[in-house]
């Protein structure tokens, strides 16, 4: 099973502590995501209306957890890592019953035909403007919980995090490790600017 990555701001301390203590990530509904075109689709005349209605129902109920294939993307640190002052979590997903979907980036709007009438096609396609995210999604259309269970390997501290914050969050992670002796200890890595891909 491959490692994936979750960029996070530390502004919501309660959420970060929950991730550390309970090894889980909150999954969002599609309307809570930051792309206003998220989940939009067209369909051709061959798609039966009940199929379209079912897709819309699944889209409304689906929970989505967005991850990335890399911890070194400068744009991702800027957008989701609190302008390089947050963290990036290296993890493996352990939840059953979630579909793993590697996002396909397209310059055309999603067109549903009879052959590709799937919620994973709809929620697994985004504009090429987002391709820098190298996104992998976990999707559940019948969720029993809004959380995706994970195994945390490493917490990457961003390049602009202060020494005081590095010390504070390292201590917090050490406390989480002691509170979960049955789990593998979470490692800590402080990144520098040289580690980050800024595109040149």
């Amino acid at each position: 099973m491959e490692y994936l990555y979750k960029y996070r701001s530390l502004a919501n301390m309660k959420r970060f502590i929950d991730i550390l203590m309970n090894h889980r990530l909150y999954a969002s509904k599609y309307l809570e995501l930051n792309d206003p075109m998220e989940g939009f689709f067209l369909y051709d005349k061959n798609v039966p209306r009940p199929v379209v209605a079912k897709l819309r129902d699944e889209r409304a109920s689906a929970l989505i957890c967005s991850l990335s294939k890399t911890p070194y993307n400068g744009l991702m640190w800027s957008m989701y890592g609190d302008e390089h002052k947050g963290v990036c979590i290296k993890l493996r997903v352990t939840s059953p019953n979630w579909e793993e979907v590697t996002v396909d980036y397209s310059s055309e709007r999603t067109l549903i035909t009879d052959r590709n009438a799937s919620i994973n096609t709809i929620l697994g396609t985004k504009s090429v403007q987002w391709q820098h995210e190298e996104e992998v999604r976990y999707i559940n259309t019948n969720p029993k919980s809004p959380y995706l269970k994970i195994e945390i390997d490493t917490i990457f501290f961003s390049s602009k995090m202060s020494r005081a914050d590095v010390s504070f969050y390292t201590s917090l992670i050490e406390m989480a490790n002691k509170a979960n002796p049955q789990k593998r200890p979470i490692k800590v890595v402080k990144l520098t600017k040289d580690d980050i891909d800024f595109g040149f």
Side-chain angles (χ1 to χ4, degrees):
M1 186 185 298
E2 66 177 332
Y3 284 110
L4 294 169
Y5 301 88
K6 183 69 174 179
Y7 293 82
R8 280 204 57 83
S9 165
L10 293 167
N12 188 335
M13 179 63 70
K14 182 178 178 181
R15 182 66 58 82
F16 182 61
I17 291 173
D18 181 72
I19 292 169
L20 293 179
M21 298 302 295
N22 296 309
H23 288 244
R24 64 186 188 178
L25 295 173
Y26 178 77
S28 303
K29 291 187 175 181
Y30 88 98
L31 286 176
E32 297 173 334
L33 302 177
N34 60 358
D35 180 359
M37 294 303 292
E38 192 72 59
F40 179 84
F41 67 95
L42 303 170
Y43 55 93
D44 70 24
K45 61 183 180 180
N46 296 320
V47 182
R49 288 191 177 184
V51 171
V52 174
K54 182 175 182 289
L55 290 172
R56 287 173 173 161
D57 288 344
E58 288 181 340
R59 182 182 62 181
S61 64
L63 292 181
I64 304 154
C65 190
S66 298
L67 305 171
S68 179
K69 293 181 180 179
T70 175
Y72 304 116
N73 187 298
L75 276 175
M76 294 290 281
W77 276 108
S78 295
M79 293 175 65
Y80 304 113
D82 196 17
E83 299 178 355
H84 298 262
K85 297 186 290 291
V87 297
C88 184
I89 304 166
K90 181 181 180 181
L91 61 93
R92 284 192 174 107
V93 174
T94 59
S95 272
N97 305 320
W98 289 68
E99 293 280 341
E100 180 185 304
V101 178
T102 299
V103 171
D104 178 46
Y105 298 98
S106 175
S107 58
E108 299 179 357
R109 295 186 177 185
T110 304
L111 175 65
I112 295 299
T113 66
D114 227 5
R115 290 187 176 183
N116 72 346
S118 163
I119 194 64
N120 289 347
T121 299
I122 294 167
L123 295 177
T125 305
K126 296 181 71 170
S127 164
V128 292
Q129 292 181 336
W130 298 93
Q131 63 187 355
H132 65 275
E133 293 187 344
E134 297 183 60
E135 187 176 350
V136 175
R137 292 185 153 179
Y138 278 80
I139 300 172
N140 193 331
T141 57
N142 187 27
K144 294 180 172 58
S145 165
Y147 293 101
L148 181 73
K149 293 180 182 178
I150 60 173
E151 173 190 290
I152 303 172
D153 181 88
T154 305
I155 304 288
F156 292 98
F157 295 142
S158 55
S159 58
K160 289 173 66 175
M161 186 180 284
S162 69
R163 287 186 179 181
D165 281 352
V166 167
S167 177
F168 173 80
Y169 288 110
T170 298
S171 297
L172 188 65
I173 291 165
E174 287 172 353
M175 286 190 287
N177 285 337
K178 289 177 182 177
N180 288 296
Q182 76 281 9
K183 294 187 180 294
R184 189 186 314 176
I186 300 168
K187 294 173 285 191
V188 170
V189 173
K190 172 69 166 69
L191 298 179
T192 68
K193 286 184 180 179
D194 291 338
D195 295 315
I196 307 302
D197 179 7
F198 290 102
F200 50 78

